[in-house]
Amino acid sequence: MLNSRGAKSVGLLLGLIATLSAFFTSALTGTTEITWPSLWAALHHYNPSNVTHIILLTERLPRALIAALVGASLAIAGALMQTITRNPLASPGILGINAGAMFFVVVAVSLLPLHTPAHYVWAALLGAFVAALLVMILSRGKHGELSPLRVVLAGVAVTAMFVAFSQGLLVVDQQSFESVLYWLAGSVSGRELNIVTPLLPLFGGALLLSGLLVRHANALLLGDDMATGLGLQANAIKLLLGLVVIVLAGSSVALSGMIGFVGLIVPHMARGLFGIDHRWLLPSCALLGACLLLLADVASRWLIPPQEIPVGVMTALLGTPFFIYLARRNMASQ
């Protein structure tokens, strides 16, 4: 672990360098090889008749930007979710966000004339909010308190419900299933920046709120009673942090589909390097999450070339063994 402030600052700088390297690697990598001079020329002297410039500006750079934004957002959401529930196995999926988003997209595709990623965005975001709201309602105690165990159980129940509904609709309407299959698997390809623009205020507002609440999140690590003793409203803090999780994770699912395990893996990596202080944890999660998803997206292009596999498959390959390891370690410690 990096102990001193100077060492942590150097660690964040190295994380930024790694993330930028992964970003430009993503922009230059693919079936069409692109060089650094071509990238520089496309950014400074764009030629609309140049095929390389078109690929860079319409496909590669938007893809890399979305991967970085989604990876950072999922990682921060996962860290905050683990803080709220005090559960090391928690991730945004525990709120049923993924399942709710999936169900609303399936409904939109099956019952409404919505068949483009631009339409999926708002359907998925609405589903994420509805699912998270259900979990919050079901997990509240008699006096309005939020129990980590009830949050987990409510999340599992809501997830199971929405998954069952989605599967039922997809079995009835298999043609719709084919049109939404790639989105369900999780992907950052084929997205245009005009899809991201309406969601930027949501991402920006959630990230700003998470930054304002870092000290309050640190207080929650001491326990609800201690936070109350310090003059803080523990339940109000949890609700605000939960709202940040909903917005970040819901917007990410709306953009990229079902990408799992980033919110589980990255917070543990960040805590191992930077500790539990959210002033360092959240920025490190953002950098590591963006870097991880960028590299996973690059790997997805080269696993079975010239075809690509959804990046959600790559994160599942990385995350499943890690989840099993965490589960076994927690069982051994009890």
Side-chain angles (χ1 to χ4, degrees), residues 210-286:
S210 67
L212 295 175
L213 293 174
V214 288
R215 296 185 183 275
H216 300 79
N218 284 338
L220 288 181
L221 297 175
L222 303 175
D224 291 359
D225 293 337
M226 184 64 72
T228 302
L230 294 173
L232 301 175
Q233 297 292 330
N235 287 334
I237 296 171
K238 289 182 178 179
L239 287 173
L240 287 174
L241 292 177
L243 178 62
V244 172
V245 172
I246 292 169
V247 173
L248 289 179
S251 300
S252 298
V253 172
L255 279 178
S256 59
M258 309 289 283
I259 296 178
F261 292 105
V262 175
L264 174 67
I265 299 173
V266 175
H268 287 276
M269 296 169 57
R271 288 191 190 94
L273 291 172
F274 294 89
I276 61 175
D277 188 341
H278 287 78
R279 291 175 297 176
W280 298 98
L281 177 63
L282 296 187
S284 62
C285 279

Side-chain angles (χ1 to χ4, degrees), residues 63 66 70 182-191 252-253 255-259 297 308-313:
R63 179 173 184 168
I66 291 173
V70 169
Y182 207 73
W183 182 92
L184 292 176
S187 175
V188 293
S189 66
R191 308 293 194 267
S252 298
V253 172
L255 279 178
S256 59
M258 309 289 283
I259 296 178
D297 186 42
E308 296 182 8
I309 64 173
V311 70
V313 175

